[in-house]
Amino acid sequence: MPALPSFLIEPLWCQFEALIPPVEDHHPLGCHRPRITDRVVFDKLVQVLVLGASYEKISDTGCSATTIRRRRDAWIDAEIFTTLEQICLEAYDRIVGLELENLIVDGCIVKAPCGGEMAGKSPVDRGKLGTKRSVLTDGKGIPLGVVAAPANRHDSPLLRPTLEKLSRFGFHLPPRITVHLDAGYDSGKTRTLLTALGCEWVISTSGEPLQAGARWVVERTNAWHTRGFKKLLICTERKAKVIDAMISFANSIIVLRRLIREAWYTQRWDARPKRRP
């Protein structure tokens, strides 16, 4: 069974393929082994992201683990994963529309048993190594940006770099933005920051019963990350740039899936699934 359905992976691959830079062959003799096709490596990376398996277990006689890692790093250096995420967000905004008037920010801590640049002692897992993701979503829960940090970092200092992810939309922002936060951000420093950024806020009060309000969509987005992508549930990557690339790749899949689901009633295309996803 494929890691992703065909109606989702085919348009994703078409856009991904268009972003891959041409390969320059500088072999002095021109007699090296045939190059593994990009589609094979792309499918392997999707399996790694969705299934959470190691590169060695995903590799086979047709594509080694070293080839997957090398091609992944080359695509990261070419900023393909970040560009793909941006294209998916712009397509969703153009067809469906992003609700940027209401923004939700929340943190999510996952295990990081292999350590690395984004690993720290988790305050919710008996001091074991973990990674924190500060997630920014729109009013419907579409992920707009994620900032990764060690698990022992507090949510409040990550708020500014998380909100700075909005710079990807340039000047196309609504004049009035309301940021919804939980009680972990209930401090004067957070309110000062939001005032300086020109944002309004709805912050839950510390010490009072749970006040969900409009924040439930970010919890659903965290569930999309952890339940749909095992590589994000248990972070086994050690380099920060690889973690960021995997998060951007997962966000691209989430945004494209939501786009197909919400446009199913209003749009028609050749590969449109017979049933609503």
Side-chain angles (χ1 to χ4, degrees):
M1 183 177 180
L4 292 175
S6 60
F7 75 84
L8 186 58
I9 196 168
E10 291 302 328
L12 193 71
W13 162 246
C14 289
Q15 185 59 69
F16 193 93
E17 183 183 23
L19 298 175
I20 299 177
V23 179
E24 298 181 2
D25 191 353
H26 299 290
H27 196 281
L29 302 178
C31 56
H32 51 72
R33 289 172 18 177
R35 177 182 173 86
I36 304 298
T37 61
D38 292 328
R39 179 58 192 267
V40 172
V41 181
F42 175 82
D43 289 339
K44 297 291 186 183
L45 279 179
V46 171
Q47 295 175 28
V48 169
L49 176 63
V50 175
L51 305 179
S54 65
Y55 297 97
E56 285 73 15
K57 291 184 177 180
I58 292 296
S59 63
D60 50 29
T61 55
C63 183
S64 66
T66 302
T67 299
I68 300 174
R69 293 193 188 95
R70 287 178 178 173
R71 202 75 58 89
R72 176 206 65 191
D73 292 341
W75 291 344
I76 291 175
D77 294 338
E79 299 182 350
I80 293 180
F81 296 99
T82 305
T83 306
L84 179 66
E85 181 186 14
Q86 180 69 22
I87 291 174
C88 290
L89 284 172
E90 292 177 355
Y92 183 94
D93 190 25
R94 190 166 54 250
I95 298 174
V96 179
L98 292 168
E99 292 187 6
L100 299 179
E101 295 83 5
N102 291 287
L103 302 177
I104 302 94
V105 180
D106 195 14
C108 175
I109 297 179
V110 296
K111 295 178 180 294
C114 298
E117 299 174 358
M118 289 298 174
K121 293 184 178 181
S122 175
V124 297
D125 193 17
R126 296 170 293 174
K128 295 182 179 179
L129 293 179
T131 298
K132 174 174 287 189
R133 294 194 299 266
S134 181
V135 183
L136 171 68
T137 72
D138 75 337
K140 289 185 177 179
I142 301 299
L144 305 178
V146 178
V147 173
N152 53 1
R153 291 286 302 278
H154 195 272
D155 290 339
S156 184
L158 298 177
L159 181 59
R160 176 182 285 274
T162 304
L163 291 176
E164 288 176 351
K165 292 292 183 178
L166 287 175
S167 61
R168 69 193 322 163
F169 299 107
F171 297 99
H172 303 286
L173 293 174
R176 182 176 179 180
I177 297 177
T178 302
V179 181
H180 299 262
L181 303 169
D182 63 12
Y185 300 89
D186 186 15
S187 66
K189 184 177 180 180
T190 298
R191 292 177 173 82
T192 302
L193 171 63
L194 294 176
T195 302
L197 296 177
C199 299
E200 300 180 4
W201 63 81
V202 176
I203 304 177
S204 301
T205 305
S206 301
E208 293 189 5
L210 179 64
Q211 311 135 60
R215 289 191 300 103
W216 70 271
V217 294
V218 74
E219 304 295 347
R220 183 183 60 179
T221 304
N222 287 331
W224 286 342
H225 281 149
T226 55
R227 295 178 67 89
F229 307 97
K230 296 299 178 63
K231 179 62 74 171
L232 302 187
L233 175 62
I234 302 178
C235 182
T236 56
E237 301 291 350
R238 297 178 56 86
K239 296 182 179 179
K241 67 175 186 179
V242 179
I243 296 174
D244 291 338
M246 287 296 179
I247 294 174
S248 295
F249 200 16
N251 286 344
S252 302
I253 296 173
I254 290 173
V255 175
L256 181 59
R257 184 174 57 202
R258 297 301 301 177
L259 172 59
I260 295 175
R261 178 180 176 83
E262 296 188 26
W264 191 84
Y265 286 119
T266 60
Q267 308 293 327
R268 295 292 184 271
W269 62 95
D270 294 338
R272 178 175 177 267
K274 295 181 179 180
R275 295 184 178 181
R276 185 187 182 197

